[in-house]
Amino acid sequence: HYLPEAHTDYLLAVIAEALRRAGVRAAIAVGPHDPRVIGRIPDDWIVAPRLPQVALLPHADLAISHAGNGSVQEALAHGVRQLLLPFSTDQPAIAADLQRAGLARVADPNTLTADQLKDMVTAALTEPRPAPVAQPDCAALLRAPASD
């Protein structure tokens, strides 16, 4: 499941087109890619090479990511719906685990179309927001007696 650079540009374009078709506001981090690959940028969108994901998530209704551990954990902590497009390494396993737990929708980024993604976005936004997954209380863990 490895996505070559050219396909990443294509996937960004598919995501942007799906979000335009769904009529939603978006914040898109394009990384090192030319933002022109996503086409017309609506006035109420934020598009930049990098965005402060942790600051944006409390205001997000849906997070679309590659299912990397950091992105997934941050969305879980904020109780944000997730749509995962795993690329490689541990991402397919993480995505499968979240889908099995009912905490995310998953699609194959190699075959995904804008229409399919638009339908997934629309469906995900009709579902209730998941409860935030609390981060462990480290102080409490340190005070807990060791088990044998």
Side-chain angles (χ1 to χ4, degrees), residues 2-16:
Y2 174 73
L3 279 158
E5 195 71 19
H7 189 71
T8 304
D9 284 349
Y10 170 77
L11 185 58
L12 282 169
V14 166
I15 292 168

Side-chain angles (χ1 to χ4, degrees), residues 76-77 132-136:
L76 286 171
V133 176
Q135 297 297 320

Side-chain angles (χ1 to χ4, degrees), residues 7-98:
H7 189 71
T8 304
D9 284 349
Y10 170 77
L11 185 58
L12 282 169
V14 166
I15 292 168
E17 182 58 27
L19 296 174
R20 277 191 295 273
R21 291 179 188 180
V24 298
R25 292 184 312 163
I28 301 174
V30 295
H33 305 277
D34 186 334
R36 292 178 292 191
V37 302
I38 68 171
R40 182 185 61 79
I41 300 172
D43 292 338
D44 60 349
W45 283 21
I46 301 168
V47 177
R50 292 177 176 224
L51 292 171
Q53 179 170 291
V54 174
L56 290 171
L57 280 171
H59 310 285
D61 291 315
L62 175 68
I64 299 174
S65 79
H66 60 301
N69 190 50
S71 296
V72 164
Q73 293 297 324
E74 290 165 1
L76 286 171
H78 288 92
V80 177
R81 299 171 191 94
Q82 295 189 63
L83 205 157
L84 305 174
L85 309 172
F87 295 176
S88 64
T89 61
D90 61 344
Q91 297 164 4
I94 291 170
D97 286 346
L98 265 70

